[in-house]
Short mmCIF file of all heavy atoms in Angstrom, two decimals:
data_model
loop_
_atom_site.label_atom_id
_atom_site.label_comp_id
_atom_site.label_asym_id
_atom_site.label_seq_id
_atom_site.Cartn_x
_atom_site.Cartn_y
_atom_site.Cartn_z
N CYS A 1 135.91 123.93 -48.54
CA CYS A 1 136.12 125.36 -48.78
C CYS A 1 136.80 125.48 -50.15
O CYS A 1 137.64 124.67 -50.51
CB CYS A 1 137.02 125.96 -47.71
SG CYS A 1 136.31 125.86 -46.05
N SER A 2 136.48 126.53 -50.89
CA SER A 2 136.97 126.64 -52.26
C SER A 2 138.49 126.68 -52.33
O SER A 2 139.09 126.12 -53.24
CB SER A 2 136.39 127.89 -52.92
OG SER A 2 136.76 129.05 -52.18
N PHE A 3 139.15 127.31 -51.34
CA PHE A 3 140.60 127.42 -51.43
C PHE A 3 141.25 126.04 -51.27
O PHE A 3 142.28 125.77 -51.86
CB PHE A 3 141.16 128.40 -50.39
CG PHE A 3 141.32 127.83 -49.01
CD1 PHE A 3 142.52 127.25 -48.63
CD2 PHE A 3 140.29 127.88 -48.09
CE1 PHE A 3 142.69 126.74 -47.35
CE2 PHE A 3 140.45 127.37 -46.82
CZ PHE A 3 141.65 126.79 -46.45
N GLU A 4 140.63 125.14 -50.49
CA GLU A 4 141.17 123.80 -50.33
C GLU A 4 141.12 123.04 -51.66
O GLU A 4 142.07 122.41 -52.07
CB GLU A 4 140.38 123.03 -49.27
CG GLU A 4 140.74 123.39 -47.86
CD GLU A 4 142.17 123.00 -47.52
OE1 GLU A 4 142.72 122.09 -48.18
OE2 GLU A 4 142.75 123.63 -46.64
N LYS A 5 139.96 123.11 -52.33
CA LYS A 5 139.80 122.38 -53.58
C LYS A 5 140.78 122.90 -54.62
O LYS A 5 141.41 122.15 -55.33
CB LYS A 5 138.37 122.52 -54.08
CG LYS A 5 137.34 121.87 -53.16
CD LYS A 5 135.93 122.15 -53.59
CE LYS A 5 135.58 121.44 -54.87
NZ LYS A 5 134.16 121.58 -55.22
N THR A 6 140.92 124.22 -54.67
CA THR A 6 141.79 124.82 -55.68
C THR A 6 143.24 124.48 -55.43
O THR A 6 143.96 124.06 -56.34
CB THR A 6 141.61 126.36 -55.67
OG1 THR A 6 140.26 126.67 -55.89
CG2 THR A 6 142.47 126.99 -56.75
N GLU A 7 143.69 124.63 -54.17
CA GLU A 7 145.09 124.39 -53.86
C GLU A 7 145.49 122.95 -54.16
O GLU A 7 146.50 122.71 -54.81
CB GLU A 7 145.37 124.70 -52.39
CG GLU A 7 145.46 126.18 -52.10
CD GLU A 7 145.97 126.44 -50.68
OE1 GLU A 7 146.16 125.45 -49.94
OE2 GLU A 7 146.18 127.59 -50.35
N THR A 8 144.73 121.99 -53.69
CA THR A 8 145.12 120.60 -53.87
C THR A 8 145.05 120.19 -55.34
O THR A 8 145.88 119.42 -55.80
CB THR A 8 144.22 119.67 -53.03
OG1 THR A 8 142.86 119.98 -53.30
CG2 THR A 8 144.49 119.85 -51.55
N ARG A 9 144.09 120.73 -56.09
CA ARG A 9 143.97 120.36 -57.49
C ARG A 9 145.15 120.89 -58.29
O ARG A 9 145.65 120.25 -59.20
CB ARG A 9 142.66 120.89 -58.05
CG ARG A 9 142.38 120.41 -59.47
CD ARG A 9 141.01 120.87 -59.92
NE ARG A 9 139.96 120.27 -59.12
CZ ARG A 9 138.88 120.91 -58.75
NH1 ARG A 9 138.71 122.17 -59.06
NH2 ARG A 9 137.95 120.29 -58.04
N ILE A 10 145.62 122.08 -57.93
CA ILE A 10 146.73 122.68 -58.67
C ILE A 10 148.05 121.98 -58.33
O ILE A 10 148.86 121.69 -59.20
CB ILE A 10 146.85 124.19 -58.33
CG1 ILE A 10 145.66 124.93 -58.93
CG2 ILE A 10 148.14 124.77 -58.87
CD1 ILE A 10 145.60 126.39 -58.52
N GLN A 11 148.25 121.64 -57.07
CA GLN A 11 149.53 121.13 -56.63
C GLN A 11 149.77 119.68 -57.03
O GLN A 11 150.83 119.32 -57.47
CB GLN A 11 149.65 121.26 -55.11
CG GLN A 11 149.74 122.71 -54.65
CD GLN A 11 149.72 122.80 -53.14
OE1 GLN A 11 149.58 121.81 -52.44
NE2 GLN A 11 149.83 124.01 -52.63
N GLU A 12 148.79 118.81 -56.87
CA GLU A 12 148.99 117.39 -57.13
C GLU A 12 147.64 116.68 -57.18
O GLU A 12 146.67 117.14 -56.61
CB GLU A 12 149.85 116.78 -56.03
CG GLU A 12 149.27 116.96 -54.65
CD GLU A 12 150.21 116.50 -53.55
OE1 GLU A 12 150.88 115.47 -53.73
OE2 GLU A 12 150.27 117.17 -52.52
N PRO A 13 147.59 115.52 -57.86
CA PRO A 13 146.36 114.74 -57.85
C PRO A 13 146.12 114.18 -56.46
O PRO A 13 147.04 113.77 -55.78
CB PRO A 13 146.64 113.63 -58.86
CG PRO A 13 148.14 113.53 -58.90
CD PRO A 13 148.64 114.91 -58.69
N VAL A 14 144.86 114.16 -56.04
CA VAL A 14 144.54 113.70 -54.70
C VAL A 14 144.04 112.26 -54.74
O VAL A 14 143.64 111.76 -55.79
CB VAL A 14 143.48 114.60 -54.03
CG1 VAL A 14 143.98 116.02 -53.95
CG2 VAL A 14 142.15 114.52 -54.76
N SER A 15 144.07 111.61 -53.59
CA SER A 15 143.56 110.26 -53.47
C SER A 15 143.20 110.00 -52.02
O SER A 15 143.38 110.86 -51.16
CB SER A 15 144.62 109.24 -53.95
OG SER A 15 145.68 109.16 -53.01
N LYS A 16 142.72 108.80 -51.74
CA LYS A 16 142.38 108.43 -50.37
C LYS A 16 143.59 107.86 -49.62
O LYS A 16 143.51 107.56 -48.44
CB LYS A 16 141.26 107.39 -50.37
CG LYS A 16 139.93 107.91 -50.93
CD LYS A 16 138.83 106.87 -50.81
CE LYS A 16 139.05 105.70 -51.73
NZ LYS A 16 137.90 104.76 -51.72
N ARG A 17 144.70 107.71 -50.32
CA ARG A 17 145.88 107.06 -49.74
C ARG A 17 147.03 108.07 -49.60
O ARG A 17 147.27 108.89 -50.50
CB ARG A 17 146.32 105.89 -50.62
CG ARG A 17 147.38 104.99 -50.00
CD ARG A 17 147.63 103.80 -50.90
NE ARG A 17 146.42 103.00 -51.07
CZ ARG A 17 146.27 102.08 -52.00
NH1 ARG A 17 147.23 101.86 -52.88
NH2 ARG A 17 145.15 101.38 -52.08
N LEU A 18 147.73 108.00 -48.48
CA LEU A 18 148.82 108.93 -48.19
C LEU A 18 150.11 108.17 -47.89
O LEU A 18 150.08 107.08 -47.32
CB LEU A 18 148.49 109.80 -46.98
CG LEU A 18 147.25 110.70 -47.07
CD1 LEU A 18 146.96 111.30 -45.70
CD2 LEU A 18 147.45 111.80 -48.11
N SER A 19 151.23 108.79 -48.26
CA SER A 19 152.55 108.29 -47.89
C SER A 19 153.10 109.22 -46.81
O SER A 19 153.06 110.44 -46.95
CB SER A 19 153.48 108.29 -49.11
OG SER A 19 154.83 108.14 -48.70
N VAL A 20 153.61 108.65 -45.72
CA VAL A 20 154.17 109.43 -44.63
C VAL A 20 155.63 109.03 -44.44
O VAL A 20 155.94 107.85 -44.27
CB VAL A 20 153.40 109.20 -43.31
CG1 VAL A 20 153.91 110.15 -42.23
CG2 VAL A 20 151.91 109.37 -43.52
N VAL A 21 156.52 110.02 -44.49
CA VAL A 21 157.95 109.76 -44.38
C VAL A 21 158.52 110.56 -43.22
O VAL A 21 158.12 111.70 -42.98
CB VAL A 21 158.68 110.12 -45.69
CG1 VAL A 21 160.17 109.83 -45.58
CG2 VAL A 21 158.09 109.37 -46.87
N SER A 22 159.46 109.95 -42.52
CA SER A 22 160.08 110.59 -41.37
C SER A 22 161.53 110.15 -41.28
O SER A 22 161.89 109.05 -41.71
CB SER A 22 159.33 110.20 -40.09
OG SER A 22 160.13 110.38 -38.95
N ARG A 23 162.38 111.00 -40.72
CA ARG A 23 163.78 110.59 -40.55
C ARG A 23 163.95 109.65 -39.36
O ARG A 23 164.98 109.01 -39.20
CB ARG A 23 164.69 111.80 -40.37
CG ARG A 23 164.38 112.68 -39.20
CD ARG A 23 165.28 113.90 -39.16
NE ARG A 23 164.97 114.79 -38.06
CZ ARG A 23 165.40 114.59 -36.82
NH1 ARG A 23 166.18 113.57 -36.54
NH2 ARG A 23 165.07 115.43 -35.85
N LEU A 24 162.91 109.55 -38.52
CA LEU A 24 162.92 108.63 -37.39
C LEU A 24 161.92 107.50 -37.64
O LEU A 24 160.90 107.71 -38.28
CB LEU A 24 162.54 109.36 -36.09
CG LEU A 24 163.48 110.46 -35.61
CD1 LEU A 24 162.94 111.08 -34.33
CD2 LEU A 24 164.89 109.91 -35.37
N PRO A 25 162.19 106.30 -37.14
CA PRO A 25 161.23 105.19 -37.33
C PRO A 25 159.94 105.46 -36.59
O PRO A 25 159.92 106.15 -35.56
CB PRO A 25 161.98 103.99 -36.73
CG PRO A 25 162.98 104.57 -35.79
CD PRO A 25 163.40 105.87 -36.39
N PHE A 26 158.85 104.92 -37.11
CA PHE A 26 157.53 105.09 -36.51
C PHE A 26 157.21 103.95 -35.56
O PHE A 26 157.69 102.83 -35.73
CB PHE A 26 156.43 105.14 -37.58
CG PHE A 26 156.49 106.33 -38.48
CD1 PHE A 26 156.50 106.18 -39.86
CD2 PHE A 26 156.52 107.62 -37.96
CE1 PHE A 26 156.53 107.28 -40.70
CE2 PHE A 26 156.55 108.72 -38.78
CZ PHE A 26 156.55 108.55 -40.16
N ILE A 27 156.37 104.24 -34.59
CA ILE A 27 155.75 103.20 -33.77
C ILE A 27 154.32 103.07 -34.25
O ILE A 27 153.58 104.06 -34.30
CB ILE A 27 155.79 103.57 -32.27
CG1 ILE A 27 157.25 103.67 -31.80
CG2 ILE A 27 155.03 102.56 -31.43
CD1 ILE A 27 157.40 104.15 -30.38
N GLN A 28 153.95 101.87 -34.66
CA GLN A 28 152.65 101.63 -35.30
C GLN A 28 151.49 102.25 -34.51
O GLN A 28 150.68 102.99 -35.06
CB GLN A 28 152.44 100.13 -35.44
CG GLN A 28 151.06 99.73 -35.95
CD GLN A 28 150.93 99.81 -37.46
OE1 GLN A 28 151.91 99.62 -38.17
NE2 GLN A 28 149.74 100.09 -37.96
N GLU A 29 151.44 101.96 -33.22
CA GLU A 29 150.30 102.41 -32.41
C GLU A 29 150.23 103.93 -32.34
O GLU A 29 149.15 104.53 -32.40
CB GLU A 29 150.38 101.83 -30.99
CG GLU A 29 150.21 100.33 -30.92
CD GLU A 29 151.47 99.56 -31.33
OE1 GLU A 29 152.54 100.21 -31.51
OE2 GLU A 29 151.39 98.34 -31.50
N GLN A 30 151.39 104.58 -32.20
CA GLN A 30 151.41 106.04 -32.08
C GLN A 30 150.98 106.71 -33.38
O GLN A 30 150.21 107.67 -33.38
CB GLN A 30 152.80 106.52 -31.66
CG GLN A 30 153.17 106.13 -30.25
CD GLN A 30 154.54 106.66 -29.85
OE1 GLN A 30 155.28 107.19 -30.67
NE2 GLN A 30 154.88 106.52 -28.58
N LEU A 31 151.50 106.21 -34.51
CA LEU A 31 151.16 106.82 -35.80
C LEU A 31 149.68 106.59 -36.11
O LEU A 31 149.00 107.50 -36.59
CB LEU A 31 152.02 106.25 -36.91
CG LEU A 31 151.99 107.07 -38.22
CD1 LEU A 31 152.69 108.41 -38.02
CD2 LEU A 31 152.66 106.31 -39.36
N PHE A 32 149.19 105.40 -35.80
CA PHE A 32 147.76 105.12 -36.02
C PHE A 32 146.91 106.08 -35.19
O PHE A 32 145.93 106.65 -35.69
CB PHE A 32 147.45 103.67 -35.64
CG PHE A 32 146.02 103.27 -35.91
CD1 PHE A 32 145.66 102.66 -37.10
CD2 PHE A 32 145.02 103.52 -34.97
CE1 PHE A 32 144.35 102.31 -37.35
CE2 PHE A 32 143.70 103.17 -35.21
CZ PHE A 32 143.37 102.56 -36.41
N ALA A 33 147.30 106.29 -33.93
CA ALA A 33 146.53 107.18 -33.05
C ALA A 33 146.53 108.61 -33.58
O ALA A 33 145.51 109.31 -33.50
CB ALA A 33 147.11 107.14 -31.64
N LEU A 34 147.65 109.05 -34.16
CA LEU A 34 147.74 110.41 -34.69
C LEU A 34 146.82 110.59 -35.89
O LEU A 34 146.02 111.53 -35.93
CB LEU A 34 149.19 110.72 -35.08
CG LEU A 34 149.44 112.11 -35.68
CD1 LEU A 34 149.16 113.19 -34.65
CD2 LEU A 34 150.86 112.23 -36.20
N PHE A 35 146.90 109.69 -36.86
CA PHE A 35 146.09 109.84 -38.08
C PHE A 35 144.63 109.45 -37.84
O PHE A 35 143.77 109.86 -38.61
CB PHE A 35 146.71 109.03 -39.22
CG PHE A 35 147.85 109.73 -39.89
CD1 PHE A 35 149.12 109.66 -39.35
CD2 PHE A 35 147.66 110.50 -41.02
CE1 PHE A 35 150.19 110.32 -39.93
CE2 PHE A 35 148.71 111.17 -41.63
CZ PHE A 35 149.98 111.08 -41.08
N ASP A 36 144.36 108.70 -36.79
CA ASP A 36 142.99 108.34 -36.47
C ASP A 36 142.21 109.53 -35.89
O ASP A 36 141.00 109.47 -35.73
CB ASP A 36 142.98 107.18 -35.47
CG ASP A 36 141.60 106.53 -35.35
OD1 ASP A 36 140.92 106.41 -36.39
OD2 ASP A 36 141.21 106.15 -34.24
N LEU A 37 142.91 110.63 -35.61
CA LEU A 37 142.24 111.84 -35.15
C LEU A 37 141.37 112.42 -36.26
O LEU A 37 140.42 113.15 -36.01
CB LEU A 37 143.26 112.90 -34.71
CG LEU A 37 144.09 112.54 -33.46
CD1 LEU A 37 145.16 113.57 -33.23
CD2 LEU A 37 143.18 112.44 -32.24
N VAL A 38 141.71 112.10 -37.51
CA VAL A 38 140.87 112.49 -38.65
C VAL A 38 139.91 111.34 -38.93
O VAL A 38 140.35 110.19 -39.10
CB VAL A 38 141.73 112.78 -39.89
CG1 VAL A 38 140.85 113.09 -41.10
CG2 VAL A 38 142.68 113.94 -39.63
N PRO A 39 138.62 111.59 -38.98
CA PRO A 39 137.64 110.50 -39.19
C PRO A 39 137.85 109.76 -40.50
O PRO A 39 138.26 110.35 -41.50
CB PRO A 39 136.30 111.25 -39.21
CG PRO A 39 136.55 112.53 -38.49
CD PRO A 39 137.97 112.90 -38.80
#
């Protein structure tokens, strides 16, 4: 959708890699299951 392309291009460069930060430690299996919801 055009608004997605515009917003992300203006705010920051995009890539295929993401950094995820939390104040609580992650459990590998749970975090994988959450992000695996996106193909």
